[in-house]
Amino acid sequence: MLFFLFASVIAESIVETVNNDPSSTWVAIEYPREVITLAKMRAMLGEEVLPLEDVEYVEPNNVPENFDAREQWPGKIYPVRDQASCGSCWAHAASEAIGNRFSIKGCGKGMLSVQDLVSCDKGDSGCNGGSGPLSSKWLVSNGVTTEECLPYVSGNGRVPACAAKCSNGSQIIRYKYEKAETYTVQNIQEELMKNGPVYFRFTVYSDFMNYKSGVYQHKSGYQEGGHAVLLIGWGVEDGVPYWLLQNSWGPAWGEKGHFKIIRGKNECGCEQGFYAGPVKC
Ligand SMILES: *[C@@H]1O[C@H](CO)[C@@H](O)[C@H](O)[C@H]1NC(C)=O
């Protein structure tokens, strides 16, 4: 009897816990192994876990209810990528923020290079992780080249030495932030509307892996690590305010590679600082 009771508790998976909870604002699924596993997710979490702070958020009254950078700047936001087996979330978020900002300004260089940051950014740690503030600093002092010049090759977890030339032998040209800026939850919406996407970090729990759609809030599972993604908008779904994010786990995960997380509650420490900087054509 006790055995069966015990077995049935174990059998309640994260997916069932989330989907059977009437207060849940998101839908969970069991992904096929090719999309994600717990081991693969752990390998991709390359941001610090920050101690949770008290953050106050009062929705600004000069911003629209919904904002999506892809609609604001059609064709200017580069698509979802896949880190594969490398903790390069930080390099994806950082290169996407600066790349999209050049693109929005009208001087896009094509996607900017994740590999350049993974192999060359000495302030961060390649496939072992990096951070928003440190990668922003690197983007001011050194900058980042294009994906075309240095394509992503660290999906297998190996990090080649920093290249001296583009993969075709031409000179490397890098693009920089004019300065590194940290935005607060209070001014991030205006910043996003004005200059484009920013680096967004938060703490990941096991249930995040199973996210399929809706507005994520942590419901079940253990703390797994820190993660960085790209903030591209916000909105309200069924009365629940959210941040809109572009992940780097390929288009088969979540809402075509994107997800929403509840806004205004510092969920998973996600409202403790946002990173990017101004760019000039
Ligand atoms: C080599 O790559 C660079 C950077 O992507 C590009 O600008 C250049 O046109 C390429 N050169 C040749 C000869 O393909």
Side-chain angles (χ1 to χ4, degrees):
M1 180 60 193
L2 195 60
F3 169 77
F4 288 111
L5 196 63
F6 196 57
S8 76
V9 169
I10 287 175
E12 170 99 330
S13 68
I14 285 179
V15 171
E16 287 166 326
T17 305
V18 172
N19 294 345
N20 294 340
D21 180 345
S23 74
S24 186
T25 53
W26 58 285
V27 174
I29 63 163
E30 217 66 76
Y31 281 103
R33 294 187 58 82
E34 316 83 79
V35 179
I36 201 161
T37 61
L38 196 53
K40 191 179 167 200
M41 179 174 83
R42 285 175 179 152
M44 292 192 289
L45 300 177
E47 242 290 0
E48 284 175 275
V49 173
L50 299 175
L52 207 57
E53 294 164 14
D54 275 332
V55 177
E56 210 198 326
Y57 172 68
V58 181
E59 176 143 30
N61 51 24
N62 55 343
V63 301
E65 188 177 55
N66 294 284
F67 182 84
D68 182 337
R70 295 168 298 180
E71 288 163 13
Q72 182 70 21
W73 299 291
K76 300 284 191 188
I77 306 300
Y78 297 118
V80 170
R81 300 194 269 191
D82 191 349
Q83 340 170 190
S85 301
C86 170
S88 57
C89 58
W90 65 275
H92 280 79
S95 71
E96 285 165 12
I98 186 171
N100 284 322
R101 284 172 167 236
F102 277 111
S103 176
I104 287 165
K105 274 258 156 46
C107 49
K109 326 288 179 194
M111 279 196 229
L112 295 186
S113 172
V114 170
Q115 196 60 48
D116 190 11
L117 294 178
V118 167
S119 289
C120 304
D121 175 354
K122 299 293 175 258
D124 291 289
S125 307
C127 283
N128 294 323
S131 87
L134 293 176
S135 57
S136 276
K137 248 171 123 177
W138 183 264
L139 290 172
V140 174
S141 54
N142 296 77
V144 60
T145 190
T146 60
E147 176 71 19
E148 193 193 4
C149 168
L150 293 178
Y152 188 52
V153 296
S154 283
N156 57 10
R158 286 194 287 273
V159 179
C162 182
K165 293 272 163 78
C166 293
S167 57
N168 70 3
S170 74
Q171 192 81 28
I172 295 179
I173 299 168
R174 292 191 167 92
Y175 304 95
K176 298 178 179 183
Y177 279 142
E178 295 198 276
K179 59 180 182 203
E181 291 178 335
T182 302
Y183 314 106
T184 68
V185 73
Q186 229 21 77
N187 62 25
I188 190 57
Q189 287 167 281
E190 275 186 271
E191 172 59 25
L192 181 44
M193 284 171 66
K194 202 166 140 217
N195 295 314
V198 299
Y199 187 113
F200 179 101
R201 60 178 177 179
F202 66 110
T203 299
V204 165
Y205 293 84
S206 328
D207 60 350
F208 182 70
M209 178 180 98
N210 300 103
Y211 172 90
K212 182 56 196 166
S213 60
V215 180
Y216 175 80
Q217 317 186 43
H218 169 50
K219 285 278 179 192
S220 171
Y222 299 105
Q223 182 177 301
E224 300 288 355
H227 191 39
V229 294
L230 188 71
L231 177 63
I232 63 166
W234 66 84
V236 179
E237 185 174 278
D238 298 332
V240 183
Y242 64 80
W243 299 113
L244 178 62
L245 293 314
Q246 178 174 318
N247 201 355
S248 45
W249 294 353
W253 180 89
E255 297 186 332
K256 298 195 166 94
H258 297 80
F259 68 99
K260 305 181 187 105
I261 190 169
I262 194 162
R263 170 166 53 100
K265 295 177 65 179
N266 194 25
E267 183 72 10
C268 302
C270 75
E271 293 170 358
Q272 297 179 187
F274 307 81
Y275 306 90
V279 300
K280 208 159 77 189
C281 282

